Amino acid sequence: MFLKVLFLISICTKFLSANVNVELSSEDIANAQTILVKFKADQNEPKIDRIYAAYEGVRYPFYRDKFSKGRSFYALVPTSYYSKVKQTKMVIVYIENGEKFYITYPVSIHEGDYKSEKLKVAPSRAKISLKNKRRIAKEQKEAMKIYHTNTQKLYIKHPLAYPMKSKITSAFGNKRLFNGMLKSYHSGTDFRAKKGTPIRAVGAGRVVLVKKRFFAGNSVIIDHGEGIYTGYYHMSHFKVHKGQLVHKGEILGLAGATGRVTGPHLHFSVRVNGVQVDPIQFLETFNLLVE
Ligand SMILES: [Zn+2]
């Protein structure tokens, strides 16, 4: 089976149609980074459909690229933080005039330049009551359901911005080690923020969660459509409600220190097609599409 697939890929690559142009934002990425794939079909090519990117065992959909003229599509392909360092590949598959095509791109995954933090105590949940453990599990389940919902409409109209103009105090991806073992990692980017600092939507979208949660405290999640979600945590006050449509720069809430934190700040996170990614690298990569 595997050989058959390889053989198919090798013969089909020769037939790569001249009517199609594919561009990857990078073929050498770190764990937790996102690749933007642009797919452009010639105007004279009437029948191209069912395009997807196969990467690390997952198929990622292509969407119409409304920021480009002509028959353009895009896909956002995330790599998990827990991905191993390796040489892998991405296969772009599409059907043109009823015939299936495969284009293979080599992709290198290297280890991100993430700092290590040594934990002094075991990250056990022993000190968390049974009631809270149940609450945490429920909150996680609810978040996962949101992140795996794919809204077939992109709300974003402009380049994405930062949620506030402030210093980044803790970068995404810091490794949390206990006895030399990776226990967890910092799942977002922290911005320095005094209590009451306005937190703004990085782009247009729909508010899908406004809730006080155990670890994240007062949290807002925005669905930007087409598998893109942003999260804003530890707020002191909410300024939006669930279901509300927000535009880029709209105030979602005020910074605070709610949830499990030592002081006020904004924890900003991004999920793409269900995968937690480096928020800043994501903003830069997505903006390659818009600008
Ligand atoms: Zn954080």
Side-chain angles (χ1 to χ4, degrees):
M1 181 60 200
F2 182 63
L3 279 174
K4 197 178 162 195
V5 170
L6 273 183
F7 177 68
L8 269 177
I9 288 167
S10 64
I11 55 164
C12 288
T13 309
K14 286 181 202 156
F15 292 122
L16 167 58
S17 111
N19 303 322
V20 166
N21 179 47
V22 178
E23 216 178 281
L24 271 66
S25 59
S26 178
E27 292 178 27
D28 183 4
I29 51 149
N31 54 322
Q33 291 191 341
T34 306
I35 298 174
L36 169 69
V37 188
K38 287 190 193 177
F39 184 108
K40 215 170 184 138
D42 193 281
Q43 282 289 28
N44 304 320
E45 182 46 69
K47 280 193 82 81
I48 285 190
D49 60 355
R50 278 188 273 167
I51 318 164
Y52 63 85
Y55 179 71
E56 297 294 279
V58 181
R59 289 182 179 190
Y60 293 95
F62 274 79
Y63 297 102
R64 273 254 175 216
D65 171 7
K66 64 180 186 185
F67 303 104
S68 274
K69 286 194 188 92
R71 293 168 52 73
S72 301
F73 303 86
Y74 84 96
L76 289 165
V77 181
T79 298
S80 162
Y81 183 87
Y82 293 108
S83 174
K84 298 265 184 296
V85 167
K86 62 178 159 182
Q87 298 292 322
T88 184
K89 62 179 192 272
M90 191 189 298
V91 185
I92 310 300
V93 185
Y94 63 98
I95 292 174
E96 184 180 333
N97 291 321
E99 200 182 337
K100 204 166 188 177
F101 286 86
Y102 302 82
I103 319 172
T104 305
Y105 293 88
V107 174
S108 310
I109 303 173
H110 63 263
E111 198 181 339
D113 187 18
Y114 305 125
K115 287 189 185 121
S116 294
E117 292 170 10
K118 283 190 181 117
L119 299 172
K120 289 188 183 79
V121 288
S124 112
R125 289 185 174 170
K127 285 173 194 157
I128 298 172
S129 70
L130 188 63
K131 193 181 157 212
N132 280 331
K133 280 182 189 168
R134 286 205 186 105
R135 178 184 165 188
I136 293 159
K138 205 176 149 201
E139 287 170 359
Q140 279 176 346
K141 207 176 154 193
E142 182 184 34
M144 286 307 137
K145 200 178 162 198
I146 289 171
Y147 295 135
H148 288 95
T149 304
N150 211 327
T151 304
Q152 302 288 307
K153 170 200 164 90
L154 186 70
Y155 294 99
I156 301 166
K157 292 181 184 71
H158 307 285
L160 297 171
Y162 281 15
M164 63 170 57
K165 283 195 184 94
S166 180
K167 195 182 174 225
I168 291 170
T169 50
S170 177
F172 168 89
N174 286 351
K175 291 177 261 192
R176 285 162 185 173
L177 304 169
F178 181 71
N179 288 339
M181 296 271 287
L182 181 66
K183 283 291 172 191
S184 66
Y185 67 94
H186 185 223
S187 62
T189 302
D190 286 354
F191 289 85
R192 176 178 289 163
K194 277 186 207 148
K195 190 179 168 192
T197 309
I199 296 166
R200 295 171 189 278
V202 299
R206 186 180 288 280
V207 176
V208 286
L209 182 129
V210 177
K211 194 170 188 171
K212 180 163 189 164
R213 299 194 293 177
F214 185 78
F215 288 114
N218 291 337
S219 314
V220 169
I221 296 176
I222 298 180
D223 176 4
H224 299 283
E226 298 180 349
I228 306 164
Y229 290 88
T230 53
Y232 311 77
Y233 303 159
H234 313 308
M235 292 181 177
S236 57
H237 284 94
F238 294 124
K239 294 283 186 191
V240 286
H241 59 261
K242 193 179 165 182
Q244 189 178 332
L245 284 170
V246 290
H247 54 77
K248 175 184 170 182
E250 193 161 337
I251 298 174
L252 304 172
L254 306 177
T258 55
R260 284 231 156 171
V261 287
T262 49
H265 69 276
L266 165 66
H267 174 102
F268 169 61
S269 71
V270 176
R271 285 255 176 184
V272 179
N273 288 317
V275 179
Q276 190 136 52
V277 294
D278 176 344
I280 303 303
Q281 191 268 344
F282 173 78
L283 296 183
E284 287 165 0
T285 302
F286 181 85
N287 285 349
L288 297 172
L289 186 68
V290 189
E291 286 162 349

